[in-house]
Amino acid sequence: MVNPFDTFAIEEAVRIKEKLGGEVVALSMGIPDTERLLRDACSRGADRGVLLSDRAFAGADTLATSYALSLWCRQYEPSLILCGKMAVDGDTAQIGPELAEHLGIPHITDVCEVIDVTREKITVRKDTGEGFEVLECPLPALITVLKDINLPRMASIPGVRYGHEADVQIFTASGLSADLTKVGLSGSPTQVVRTFTPQRSSEALPIEGDLSEIAGRLTDIIKEVL
Ligand SMILES: Cc1cc2nc3c(=O)[nH]c(=O)nc-3n(C[C@H](O)[C@H](O)[C@H](O)COP(=O)(O)OP(=O)(O)OC[C@H]3O[C@@H](n4cnc5c(N)ncnc54)[C@H](O)[C@@H]3O)c2cc1C
């Protein structure tokens, strides 16, 4: 399935195209079947799809994934890259900022509104979790978007037909002149040693006394934990 946050990124990109013109390219790194999802993006307004797919890319962590994505972006030089806030599997929210760093362009995360965009700059509202910031950034740039940013459109029947026939280009590692030490497992410094569900304790420990006694007891507890 298309990562839910990415449906909002696609919609926002299509809205920007409708305002300023240009082309929306849906880009993904994944298995060959991902082509189906890129066609879905085309049925919702993207002009074409690009799939990075190669056994050499398998086993990629976020660093190797963002490196591979950056190779295509370097060739195509998009004015604006829109990512979802995070993927609903890895959940790291690292790909967007890492991709921007690979490309040496500015990025803004957690965008909940595109206030204005021209060919030179973008003005957005960022949700900080505690409030909002209005930020302006020169293009080229990358933003990651939240689900509040828009209401994605449904694919129309002509849209679905377009998606079936849309151009989806497939690139391999050699087609992108990738440094093979930076892609796939060999380019992934993350080591997953084990996965587990963290234990949460709702145990409450009442601490009584005057302020200095409470502070002293808290210090002891912190020392015990550390
Ligand atoms: C050691 C290790 C090995 C792994 N091996 C594999 C593997 O063999 N196969 C596999 O499928 N996954 C593998 N993964 C998971 C994979 O690295 C992550 O799914 C991927 O890097 C995205 O990270 P994330 O899910 O945290 O995305 P986030 O950073 O949370 O995603 C944020 C946004 O970035 C964009 N984005 C994320 N991923 C992609 C992508 N692939 N293409 C285009 N845009 C993207 C989207 O817009 C998304 O909304 C592995 C992870 C680790 C740590």
Side-chain angles (χ1 to χ4, degrees):
M1 58 180 278
V2 175
N3 178 46
F5 281 102
D6 291 2
T7 60
F8 301 97
I10 294 165
E11 174 65 27
E12 202 58 32
V14 173
R15 288 183 187 195
I16 293 171
K17 176 183 75 170
E18 286 167 350
K19 183 179 172 213
L20 291 180
E23 182 188 44
V24 173
V25 182
L27 168 67
S28 188
M29 186 183 99
I31 56 173
D33 190 44
T34 311
E35 181 178 338
R36 194 172 46 81
L37 308 180
L38 293 171
R39 292 195 179 284
D40 181 68
C42 293
S43 74
R44 291 161 197 270
D47 295 288
R48 60 189 179 95
V50 169
L51 174 60
L52 315 185
S53 194
D54 192 317
R55 284 202 171 273
F57 294 140
D61 66 5
T62 61
L63 189 66
T65 302
S66 55
Y67 167 70
L69 295 172
S70 76
L71 294 176
W72 184 82
C73 293
R74 268 190 198 288
Q75 288 184 10
Y76 182 69
E77 297 184 346
S79 320
L80 180 63
I81 302 173
L82 295 101
C83 294
K85 170 194 165 74
M86 61 184 193
V88 292
D89 53 356
D91 260 17
T92 65
Q94 290 172 358
I95 294 283
E98 285 180 355
L99 175 55
E101 287 301 313
H102 281 301
L103 295 170
I105 60 173
H107 71 269
I108 305 173
T109 55
D110 298 338
V111 170
C112 59
E113 184 187 352
V114 171
I115 298 170
D116 190 31
V117 58
T118 65
R119 290 186 172 273
E120 288 78 38
K121 64 177 185 186
I122 187 165
T123 311
V124 300
R125 189 182 308 277
K126 172 189 167 87
D127 186 342
T128 65
E130 292 172 346
F132 299 94
E133 287 174 348
V134 173
L135 300 168
E136 191 180 280
C137 178
L139 301 183
L142 180 149
I143 62 171
T144 74
V145 305
L146 301 177
K147 63 182 169 52
D148 311 325
I149 194 165
N150 58 43
L151 185 63
R153 69 195 70 186
M154 303 278 286
S156 63
I157 291 174
V160 172
R161 283 205 194 106
Y162 179 80
H164 271 296
E165 290 157 13
D167 175 25
V168 177
Q169 260 185 305
I170 300 177
F171 285 86
T172 59
S174 65
L176 292 168
S177 308
D179 176 345
L180 292 181
T181 63
K182 292 187 179 173
V183 296
L185 257 188
S186 45
S188 299
T190 314
Q191 300 288 321
V192 182
V193 182
R194 74 182 173 113
T195 58
F196 62 97
T197 308
Q199 285 187 347
R200 289 177 199 277
S201 162
S202 55
E203 199 181 312
L205 181 68
I207 305 174
E208 285 165 7
D210 61 23
L211 272 182
S212 65
E213 286 166 345
I214 293 174
R217 181 70 191 115
L218 272 177
T219 311
D220 293 342
I221 293 172
I222 291 168
K223 280 184 187 156
E224 279 166 32
V225 172
L226 291 178

